[in-house]
Amino acid sequence: MEYAIGIVTYQPDIARLQENLKTAVGNLQKGAILIVDNGSENIGDIRAIAADAILIENPQNLGVATALNQLCRKAQALGCEWLVTLDQDSVIQPGMVEAFSHYTDLSDVAIICPRIEDRHLGRQHTQSTSGTEYVTHAITAGNMVRLKAWETVGGYTEELFIDGVDFDFCLKLRESGWQILRDNNVYLCQEIGHGHRIALPFHHQMSVLNHSPQRLYYITRNYLWIGRQHRQRLHWTFEVAKRLFIVLCFEQDRWKKLRAMFTGIRHYHQGKMGSVLL
């Protein structure tokens, strides 16, 4: 068995998850569909639609990074060489796995990913709809990960819990000599936060993602950690500053969100990682 598809769930919308599973099953001629659930209250509904999948049930939310490592370990145990990682609301294009399989013989490629079509923000990170290109990073949804590469870099960093997990993983891979290949012929329908675009002067635009205060806490703390860990402090500090500006100027519940972000800054300096409830 060469390929598996893995999905991480937490309190999923069942109709969207069912659509996700349908397209996942349609992508595999042979292979396994794996689900790791992070303590969802609607686990009974998940069990009902996941009869054809291998379901791993965590008793509580252990975070995205831990769930991804569980998926990778299970796929390895089944003899798979590659794992497609999906969010619970990701709907993949028919034939995606087959399209990606054309590049699996590139020995230095650790991740093959699609272009992202956000339901609210449109096409992300590229204007191209054809060809392939090497990129610096890829979000978790829609990645096809070489399990040998995952193992050589020590997997996903579980202390991050959620947010920045994919960026850190890509940086670890690239620092170890692996490459990330994007196939622009293949797209993934995705929803990043509850975003919309606002117009700025001189024909510029800015994405407002409207993440919750809890998510903004993790984004702030983890981005600063990534900057220190990978010696990119200036870049990731700028990313945090940009989000502070967007929250202050354009988002609702700004004071709750700003308080969460400043808590994230404080916890970063204190070295507090893992799961935190605000």
Side-chain angles (χ1 to χ4, degrees), residues 171 175 225-236:
L171 284 165
E175 289 163 1
W225 183 92
I226 289 169
R228 181 183 64 195
Q229 185 75 11
H230 298 283
R231 299 181 181 180
Q232 297 182 355
R233 289 178 186 263
L234 184 61
H235 170 77
W236 292 98

Side-chain angles (χ1 to χ4, degrees), residues 3-269:
Y3 305 108
I5 293 178
I7 304 170
V8 178
T9 59
Y10 177 69
Q11 314 287 37
D13 177 278
I14 295 300
R16 179 70 60 78
L17 179 60
Q18 193 165 24
E19 182 184 5
N20 188 356
L21 284 169
K22 182 179 179 181
T23 59
V25 170
N27 257 271
L28 285 182
Q29 298 295 327
K30 57 180 179 178
I33 305 295
L34 313 175
I35 299 174
V36 170
D37 181 72
N38 264 329
S40 295
E41 294 177 0
N42 57 347
I43 186 63
D45 294 329
I46 297 171
R47 292 184 191 126
I49 66 170
D52 296 326
I54 297 173
L55 176 61
I56 300 170
E57 300 180 24
N58 291 330
Q60 62 190 37
N61 188 356
L62 301 181
V64 168
T66 296
L68 288 169
N69 284 333
Q70 289 176 291
L71 288 171
C72 289
R73 283 193 292 269
K74 185 63 177 178
Q76 268 194 334
L78 292 171
C80 299
E81 298 178 19
W82 294 84
L83 173 71
V84 178
T85 57
L86 295 177
D87 297 339
Q88 60 194 25
D89 59 352
S90 307
V91 179
I92 61 177
Q93 182 181 353
M96 188 182 85
V97 173
E98 181 181 0
F100 285 175
S101 69
H102 296 150
Y103 309 106
T104 56
D105 59 344
L106 298 174
S107 61
D108 63 342
V109 169
I111 292 176
I112 307 166
C113 63
R115 75 177 195 270
I116 302 299
E117 299 278 352
D118 188 88
R119 292 184 176 90
H120 304 299
L121 302 175
R123 191 171 303 147
Q124 301 292 295
H125 309 303
T126 183
Q127 295 302 312
S128 178
T129 58
S130 63
T132 61
E133 57 187 312
Y134 288 104
V135 295
T136 58
H137 66 273
I139 66 171
T140 300
N143 282 352
M144 191 159 82
V145 180
R146 188 190 297 269
L147 293 172
K148 178 182 175 182
W150 162 81
E151 187 175 30
T152 60
V153 299
Y156 297 89
T157 304
E158 297 185 4
E159 291 81 2
L160 294 175
F161 193 73
I162 189 173
D163 285 306
V165 172
D166 42 12
F167 293 126
D168 172 65
F169 183 60
C170 290
L171 284 165
K172 289 199 295 185
L173 288 168
R174 291 175 55 234
E175 289 163 1
S176 298
W178 294 98
Q179 298 282 354
I180 301 165
L181 182 70
R182 182 168 64 212
D183 184 353
N184 291 319
N185 300 290
V186 180
Y187 71 90
L188 175 76
C189 188
Q190 178 71 348
E191 186 173 338
I192 304 172
H194 304 282
H196 66 276
R197 293 190 185 276
I198 56 171
L200 297 175
F202 307 107
H203 306 288
H204 291 294
Q205 290 186 329
M206 180 177 290
S207 298
V208 178
L209 299 178
N210 291 302
H211 285 306
S212 68
Q214 186 77 49
R215 288 289 303 276
L216 285 168
Y217 163 82
Y218 285 118
I219 288 169
T220 302
R221 186 197 70 183
N222 292 352
Y223 281 14
L224 294 173
W225 183 92
I226 289 169
R228 181 183 64 195
Q229 185 75 11
H230 298 283
R231 299 181 181 180
Q232 297 182 355
R233 289 178 186 263
L234 184 61
H235 170 77
W236 292 98
T237 299
F238 174 76
E239 287 296 318
V240 170
K242 182 171 68 176
R243 288 176 183 269
L244 279 167
F245 171 76
I246 292 171
V247 168
L248 182 62
C249 295
F250 302 110
E251 295 199 11
Q252 298 178 344
D253 295 326
R254 63 191 63 176
W255 299 118
K256 288 182 181 179
K257 294 179 179 181
L258 290 172
R259 186 161 57 246
M261 295 181 77
F262 281 112
T263 301
I265 294 171
R266 186 174 75 252
H267 284 182
Y268 158 72
H269 287 293

